[in-house]
Amino acid sequence: MTNEPQLLAKLSNSHLDALEEETIFILREVAAAFERPALLFSGGKDSLVMLKCAEKAFGIGRIPFPLLMIDTGHNFPEVTDFRDLRATELGAKLIVRHVEDSMKRGTVRLAHPDEPRNAHQSVTLLEAIDEFRFDALIGGARRDEEKARAKERIFSHRDSFGQWQPKAQRPELWTLFNTRLQPGEHFRVFPISNWTELDVWQYIEREHIALPSLYYAHPRQIVERKGLLVPVTELTPARAGEDVVEKTVRFRTLGDITCTCPVDSLAATAAEIVIETLAADVSERGSTRMDDKTSDASMEKRKKDGYF
């Protein structure tokens, strides 16, 4: 990437100030309008960008809501370790709830032991909402990620069953948000809805935000399956007849090991990823998520059932 400095010099990031200002405004609106909000924090790049904005909005050690993570038990250890470190650095309260505990209670039942647990996070999340009586959950979803997310408002109302009704959303004209709730209802709030993947990486590069190492190029054993690079792990072993090869890859998004795939990449810095993202013609979820390949409406169905 020999032309990286010249390309970055030509690429304006002045719009990031407006995006950051909007995100800080929304975070402060949440803090003012709700009694028991929480920030969904996975340790991934989008939640780390939100956390940086929260740090600017309220100050280190003064973030007025806890961080909440729903752990499937199949997360990359590099990410969970980084999550714990970052929460400690900010002096933020971190709440972790586990899908495995829902399995023990019998509220989550797998069809078979190897079934991916990602979709079952909805149950554990709704249990955490009930346990702590959260009335707003702040998430890092962006509209450019996936078409179901593109439909959703910044302040997304959820009914008493935690469900989202795409045809019954509240208008958000002139950044006026209707935050009225009935007992048992809550909001999902998405402060970086209007950001793109490129915006996120430009912001990470500008603000020097530290990320888990998996976001950058590293050697990894993979198999090619259905157009995806599937990492070879204990949870995702190679199948009979598949060739295991080592490639230099990075992860564009990080989630459950059983459904998250890397992409070919030599980008070892945020600046190099900015340049690489400029040339990308497939969304990050489209190129990396096995759970979005089941049907064209798989994400929308999960969101209606209470998914993030």
Side-chain angles (χ1 to χ4, degrees), residues 6-266:
Q6 296 93 323
L7 287 170
L8 282 177
K10 294 178 181 178
L11 185 62
S12 172
N13 65 7
S14 59
H15 67 292
L16 296 179
D17 293 331
L19 289 172
E20 179 189 72
E21 182 181 349
E22 179 186 55
T23 299
I24 289 173
F25 168 73
I26 293 167
L27 288 169
R28 288 174 174 166
E29 281 286 295
V30 172
F34 297 99
E35 295 181 11
R36 293 173 298 277
L39 189 149
L40 293 167
F41 181 59
S42 65
K45 69 181 190 307
D46 297 312
S47 58
L48 285 162
V49 163
M50 278 203 309
L51 206 54
K52 182 66 175 180
C53 291
E55 178 186 335
K56 291 189 176 188
F58 306 108
I60 296 177
R62 300 179 61 187
I63 297 175
F65 33 72
L67 313 181
L68 172 65
M69 198 250 185
I70 305 301
D71 193 333
T72 65
H74 291 166
N75 296 93
F76 290 96
E78 295 93 334
V79 178
T80 52
D81 290 347
F82 193 90
R83 171 204 69 193
D84 296 344
L85 173 65
R86 193 73 186 100
T88 301
E89 288 175 345
L90 284 174
K93 179 181 179 181
L94 175 64
I95 300 170
V96 181
R97 289 297 178 265
H98 302 271
V99 173
E100 289 177 344
D101 290 335
S102 298
M103 292 165 60
K104 292 175 184 177
R105 288 190 289 268
T107 51
V108 167
R109 296 183 182 181
L110 303 183
H112 53 82
D114 296 328
E115 181 189 357
R117 301 176 182 179
N118 195 54
H120 295 292
Q121 291 179 88
S122 303
V123 174
T124 309
L125 176 61
L126 292 174
E127 290 173 344
I129 292 169
D130 185 60
E131 177 184 356
F132 294 98
R133 297 172 56 233
F134 291 130
D135 52 5
L137 292 178
I138 307 164
R142 309 186 320 269
R143 289 183 173 130
D144 75 319
E145 290 182 274
E146 202 273 340
K147 55 190 176 185
R149 289 182 168 174
K151 293 181 180 181
E152 198 153 24
R153 300 285 194 261
I154 292 175
F155 279 67
S156 180
H157 175 261
R158 303 297 170 106
D159 64 22
S160 57
F161 296 100
Q163 295 178 328
W164 171 60
Q165 301 298 334
K167 294 183 179 179
Q169 298 189 81
R170 299 175 178 181
E172 293 181 340
L173 304 175
W174 307 292
T175 63
L176 296 175
F177 304 113
N178 182 345
T179 60
R180 288 178 296 177
L181 288 174
Q182 296 298 320
E185 298 177 344
H186 71 277
F187 273 91
R188 308 285 173 89
V189 183
F190 304 108
I192 63 170
S193 284
N194 293 327
W195 297 50
T196 66
E197 183 184 11
L198 180 61
D199 297 330
V200 167
W201 279 109
Q202 284 188 273
Y203 191 75
I204 289 167
E205 195 272 335
R206 188 184 82 170
E207 300 291 325
H208 307 292
I209 298 174
L211 299 179
S213 60
L214 297 181
Y215 278 112
Y216 300 107
H218 61 280
R220 182 174 290 272
Q221 289 192 325
I222 61 96
V223 295
E224 296 192 27
R225 185 183 302 160
K226 296 182 179 179
L228 297 174
L229 305 182
V230 179
V232 177
T233 68
E234 291 183 3
L235 295 171
T236 54
R239 296 172 182 172
E242 290 183 328
D243 294 325
V244 178
V245 298
E246 184 172 277
K247 287 193 172 188
T248 301
V249 300
R250 69 176 178 88
F251 287 87
R252 289 175 70 182
T253 183
L254 284 169
D256 191 291
I257 292 172
T258 62
C259 64
T260 308
C261 298
V263 295
D264 271 312
S265 177
L266 297 175

